[in-house]
Amino acid sequence: MWAFACVAQSAGPVVWERSFVSQVDAVNVEIQVVLGRSSIPMQQLLRMGRGAVIPLDTTVNEEVWILANNHPVARGEIQISEDRIAIAVTREANVYDYMAGGGG
């Protein structure tokens, strides 16, 4: 359970203590993007070498999953600009779709 310390001002909104804000700013979140999934036999995986192609369960225009610390948080679209790849967030993630392996 989280306990937030705050200071109430008589004529204005509630203001969070600076120490809490600085603690939140110090937290790192690992972001991952899942392009698709595949299930292959271990024997086939062990025989793969350079240039092997792993087929995924997704199409070119399908949204990707955006994970924060291994938890689905959003869906997005791949954007390519010159030599950079980025993800544009399109909507909130449906955790149940992710767990089921669906595109939902």
Side-chain angles (χ1 to χ4, degrees):
M1 177 190 266
W2 288 90
F4 298 111
C6 63
V7 178
Q9 295 178 339
S10 59
V14 174
V15 178
W16 299 105
E17 283 188 20
R18 291 182 197 276
S19 64
F20 173 74
V21 173
S22 65
Q23 289 174 358
V24 170
D25 287 344
V27 175
N28 289 324
V29 177
E30 180 179 311
I31 301 296
Q32 298 173 332
V33 176
V34 178
L35 300 176
R37 298 176 180 177
S38 185
S39 179
I40 58 175
M42 179 61 80
Q43 184 178 16
Q44 182 180 349
L45 178 65
L46 293 173
R47 285 185 283 147
M48 287 185 171
R50 185 179 186 139
V53 176
I54 300 172
L56 301 175
D57 64 350
T58 188
T59 62
V60 172
N61 295 320
E62 197 167 328
E63 292 176 310
V64 295
W65 289 99
I66 302 169
L67 310 180
N69 290 342
N70 292 320
H71 297 283
V73 294
R75 300 297 302 266
E77 294 176 346
I78 299 171
Q79 293 185 341
I80 300 173
S81 177
E82 297 178 17
D83 63 342
R84 306 292 293 179
I85 298 173
I87 305 300
V89 176
T90 56
R91 63 186 169 112
E92 198 174 322
N94 182 324
V95 177
Y96 300 106
D97 282 345
Y98 181 78
M99 299 307 269

